Amino acid sequence: MPKSAASASGSPAVSPTTGRLALAAAGVTVVLWASAFVSIRSAGAAYSPGALALGRLLAGALVLGAVLLVRREGLPSRAAWPGILVSGLLWFGVYMVALNWGEQEVDAGTAAMLVNIGPILIALLGARFLGETLPPRLLAGMAVSFAGAVAVGLSMSGEGGHASVLGVALCLLAAVAYAGGVVAQKPALAHASALQVTTFGCAIGAVACLPFAGQLVSEAARAPLSATANMVYLGVFPTALAFTTWAYALARTTAGRMGATTYAVPALVVLMAWALLGELPAALTLVGGALCLAGVAVSRSRPRASAPARAGTAAGREDAAAGPEKTAGPDGATGPEGATGPEGATGPEGAAGPEGAAGPEGAAGERRG
């Protein structure tokens, strides 16, 4: 995949149509990652954390490998491998095992609050290692969304909430691994397709989880069919499909904005639990979900151009139009070459377009998938 030009905000320069496709891809990702919670409840009751992670990754790797063969995309370039290796180990390997294990040691609300530190870490690491900017709207949106995630977490914890030191540590480890995996994956997408990065990252994660193969075989023999079916679902949809659409969107925006978009997951989980499981959310849960969505909207919104900037752009266009009329003849004076023409005006190449603004280009594990 060739590198594309970057805007002042750090977003790759893409067309409006591609921007809309990236936004749709991010939407598919957050919906599927939110749906993972229903499946995890069933599969997690029959499978241990490592076995569940390995089974999910094996199912995902098989599907992704088949699609890769059909599309004949082959191996990624050498430059993509460092990012694929790191993201595969951290995000597909460490993150999934740590989160599965951590959720057994702390209540769901506490896990949600701890893992939702991930998007903040992504923004900070993206600024440090990828040279991404931190626009005020992104920071404000993430603050609002994180407050919403905390509200959802508190409402889910209730009086029966519990949190061991081990569980807290595991959830924090999951957040760090998630953030590190995303930031490592971003440069790889400049040298390989979203399908290649996801396929080989998933395969690397599966290899890292092979020590749990014995547990997987033993537990699969006695697990109910519904639990195994949910494990396969986790591998095919929230892993194979959702991680590929995530990579597609990530290649076309900043890591920080993508991380902020995943704050929509807690709100969607609340709605899905209400619709599919009949779990009526508390008032605090609804408020928290609304804050999550509002924060995502703010972080992805496009700032309006200032009045001086608009005036400057209009003046440039007027000068460009007046250029040929200032011509005094071949010998001298200001002709078409000296006029402020299309190249001097604030045109498509110099404008702060969709990629320069906090626009469409900007998208949590098990909390994001």
Side-chain angles (χ1 to χ4, degrees), residues 38-59 96-97 99-105 212-235 366:
V38 177
S39 295
I40 289 171
R41 290 190 184 185
S42 172
Y47 289 95
S48 59
L52 177 57
L54 176 59
R56 173 179 179 174
L57 289 169
L58 287 175
M96 291 194 180
V97 175
L99 185 63
N100 290 346
W101 189 2
E103 288 190 341
Q104 294 183 356
E105 300 292 329
F212 302 107
Q215 293 181 13
L216 177 61
V217 172
S218 174
E219 293 168 5
R222 58 178 184 271
L225 180 60
S226 60
T228 301
N230 276 288
M231 181 175 65
V232 173
Y233 170 82
L234 287 169
E366 240 56 282

Side-chain angles (χ1 to χ4, degrees), residues 65-124:
V67 175
L68 193 74
L69 289 175
V70 170
R71 292 178 58 86
R72 299 181 180 179
E73 292 198 18
L75 295 173
S77 66
R78 183 179 299 178
W81 278 105
I84 293 175
L85 180 62
V86 173
S87 64
L89 289 174
L90 290 180
W91 199 2
F92 290 90
V94 175
Y95 168 79
M96 291 194 180
V97 175
L99 185 63
N100 290 346
W101 189 2
E103 288 190 341
Q104 294 183 356
E105 300 292 329
V106 301
D107 58 87
T110 301
M113 288 185 286
L114 293 172
V115 174
N116 274 302
I117 296 172
I120 298 174
L121 296 177
I122 290 173
L124 296 176

Side-chain angles (χ1 to χ4, degrees), residues 120-132 176 179-180 183:
I120 298 174
L121 296 177
I122 290 173
L124 296 176
L125 292 175
R128 175 64 179 83
F129 295 105
L130 303 178
E132 296 181 354
V176 172
V183 174

Side-chain angles (χ1 to χ4, degrees), residues 2-366:
K3 291 183 180 180
S4 56
S7 70
S9 68
S11 297
V14 297
S15 68
T17 300
T18 301
R20 287 190 290 271
L21 290 174
L23 180 60
V28 170
T29 297
V30 296
V31 168
L32 289 176
W33 281 351
S35 76
F37 285 98
V38 177
S39 295
I40 289 171
R41 290 190 184 185
S42 172
Y47 289 95
S48 59
L52 177 57
L54 176 59
R56 173 179 179 174
L57 289 169
L58 287 175
L62 287 174
V63 172
L64 289 166
V67 175
L68 193 74
L69 289 175
V70 170
R71 292 178 58 86
R72 299 181 180 179
E73 292 198 18
L75 295 173
S77 66
R78 183 179 299 178
W81 278 105
I84 293 175
L85 180 62
V86 173
S87 64
L89 289 174
L90 290 180
W91 199 2
F92 290 90
V94 175
Y95 168 79
M96 291 194 180
V97 175
L99 185 63
N100 290 346
W101 189 2
E103 288 190 341
Q104 294 183 356
E105 300 292 329
V106 301
D107 58 87
T110 301
M113 288 185 286
L114 293 172
V115 174
N116 274 302
I117 296 172
I120 298 174
L121 296 177
I122 290 173
L124 296 176
L125 292 175
R128 175 64 179 83
F129 295 105
L130 303 178
E132 296 181 354
T133 58
L134 296 174
R137 285 173 179 258
L138 174 61
L139 296 176
M142 292 180 71
V144 172
S145 290
F146 183 70
V150 170
V152 171
L154 290 174
S155 67
M156 293 169 64
S157 298
E159 296 181 357
H162 69 282
S164 68
V165 174
L166 175 61
V168 170
L170 287 169
C171 288
L172 289 175
L173 175 61
V176 172
Y178 159 57
V182 171
V183 174
Q185 187 186 65
K186 174 68 174 175
L189 290 165
H191 306 283
S193 70
L195 179 59
Q196 288 173 320
V197 170
T198 306
T199 300
F200 291 100
C202 186
I204 289 169
V207 171
C209 291
L210 282 178
F212 302 107
Q215 293 181 13
L216 177 61
V217 172
S218 174
E219 293 168 5
R222 58 178 184 271
L225 180 60
S226 60
T228 301
N230 276 288
M231 181 175 65
V232 173
Y233 170 82
L234 287 169
V236 175
F237 292 98
T239 302
L241 177 56
F243 273 81
T244 302
T245 53
W246 162 276
Y248 175 87
L250 179 61
R252 292 155 180 83
T253 186
T254 64
R257 189 162 287 123
M258 276 294 287
T261 302
T262 60
Y263 273 125
V265 170
L268 293 176
V269 170
V270 170
L271 294 177
M272 289 183 179
W274 188 359
L276 301 178
L277 302 177
E279 297 180 355
L280 186 64
L284 182 59
T285 306
L286 293 176
V287 171
L291 285 174
C292 287
L293 295 177
V296 171
V298 171
S299 67
R300 296 185 61 87
S301 62
R302 178 189 306 180
R304 295 181 178 180
S306 62
R310 288 195 297 268
T313 302
R317 285 197 296 266
E318 291 174 1
D319 287 344
E325 296 180 5
K326 293 181 181 179
T327 303
D331 292 320
T334 308
E337 300 298 327
T340 307
E343 300 300 327
T346 308
E349 301 299 328
E355 285 67 51
E361 301 312 318
E366 240 56 282

